[in-house]
Amino acid sequence: DSGVTQTPKHLITATGQRVTLRCSPRSGDLSVYWYQQSLDQGLQFLIHYYNGEERAKGNILERFSAQQFPDLHSELNLSSLELGDSALYFCASSVGGSDGYTFGSGTRLTVV
Amino acid sequence: AQSVSQHNHHVILSEAASLELGCNYSYGGTVNLFWYVQYPGQHLQLLLKYFSGDPLVKGIKGFEAEFIKSKFSFNLRKPSVQWSDTAEYFCAVNLNAGGTSYGKLTFGQGTILTVHP
């Protein structure tokens, strides 16, 4: 267990639907990062939140949004889902110190 | 924009062989460098990291990496691989924010290592 908790582990949904992925960072970590991992694109940075505020955006589609709550957990909302959104979505957290980033086990999203 | 390039997509070795996985990044400023390992079905785990100081970094499980600034490289090495090292390996970079883990990581495409017993 890395200390970063992601739920659910697996999600199967139909095209056009909306899903919410949840991430609880490691205790004490203020930063949460979301990444998408797919076979063709590799690991792509989506978005970074620090202590509730959005700090950076990467290759995140307009259909996707995220937020970080006062208790520091984060949610990634994916809407109008397409087949191409099928991927593994990872959350990582960091405290901003020198110990690196800690990754969760990911949510495997399958859009059918 | 910064990018990370891993030279080999798939490396196949026999146990006890030596390993070197290449990683190059394109950014002229100061960077932090990381190697992560992903075992099948698991999350990314940190193998080692470089922030500053001695360019030869030792990590977990006998892995080490050397930062060569002039070559923009951070190659991963292990003298003798084991079957249990079979996994995917990712090199990653972030812009140095005062030597801290802050800001997005840019990952290479990953190298799949298969070790035959």
Side-chain angles (χ1 to χ4, degrees):
Chain A
D1 182 10
S2 67
V4 177
T5 303
Q6 287 190 250
T7 56
K9 292 193 183 308
H10 302 276
L11 199 48
I12 302 174
T13 189
T15 55
Q17 295 299 305
R18 172 189 169 95
V19 297
T20 297
L21 313 183
R22 182 187 170 102
C23 169
S24 293
R26 199 177 54 163
S27 178
D29 288 358
L30 300 178
S31 276
V32 169
Y33 306 82
W34 285 97
Y35 292 85
Q36 179 194 58
Q37 185 179 30
S38 60
L39 283 175
D40 55 344
Q41 296 290 322
L43 270 159
Q44 296 287 318
F45 166 71
L46 296 178
I47 199 162
H48 169 207
Y49 275 85
Y50 177 82
N51 202 22
E53 293 186 4
E54 180 186 304
R55 286 302 175 95
K57 267 187 175 180
N59 300 320
I60 186 166
L61 300 170
E62 286 190 10
R63 301 183 285 107
F64 295 1
S65 65
Q67 55 184 328
Q68 186 179 28
F69 296 86
D71 67 352
L72 301 178
H73 90 272
S74 178
E75 292 181 357
L76 180 66
N77 300 296
L78 315 177
S79 61
S80 303
L81 285 167
E82 302 175 358
L83 296 177
D85 297 327
S86 295
L88 196 51
Y89 291 84
F90 281 108
C91 161
S93 73
S94 76
V95 70
S98 61
D99 58 346
Y101 303 75
T102 304
F103 282 80
S105 298
T107 293
R108 182 169 294 283
L109 173 66
T110 304
V111 183
V112 297
Chain B
Q2 63 192 81
S3 66
V4 180
S5 176
Q6 291 182 238
H7 313 303
N8 309 99
H9 177 64
H10 195 179
V11 172
I12 302 172
L13 296 172
S14 297
E15 273 194 321
S18 64
L19 170 72
E20 180 160 4
L21 301 182
C23 172
N24 286 89
Y25 63 95
S26 63
Y27 181 70
T30 306
V31 295
N32 296 326
L33 297 152
F34 305 81
W35 275 98
Y36 282 87
V37 60
Q38 186 178 28
Y39 299 102
Q42 294 190 26
H43 62 274
L44 284 92
Q45 300 175 40
L46 180 66
L47 274 179
L48 46 79
K49 60 186 185 287
Y50 174 80
F51 283 6
S52 64
D54 188 345
L56 185 60
V57 180
K58 294 194 183 297
I60 62 171
K61 307 187 182 189
F63 287 92
E64 64 178 33
E66 184 176 13
F67 170 53
I68 303 179
K69 188 175 181 179
S70 61
K71 295 185 178 180
F72 298 90
S73 71
F74 190 56
N75 292 353
L76 181 71
R77 299 194 293 245
K78 186 171 184 179
S80 176
V81 295
Q82 301 173 319
W83 175 80
S84 58
D85 293 325
T86 295
E88 189 162 12
Y89 293 80
F90 293 91
C91 180
V93 169
N94 83 328
L95 300 183
N96 188 310
T100 64
S101 300
Y102 183 82
K104 69 171 187 177
L105 282 174
T106 299
F107 285 89
Q109 285 294 96
T111 298
I112 298 169
L113 172 65
T114 301
V115 180
H116 291 303

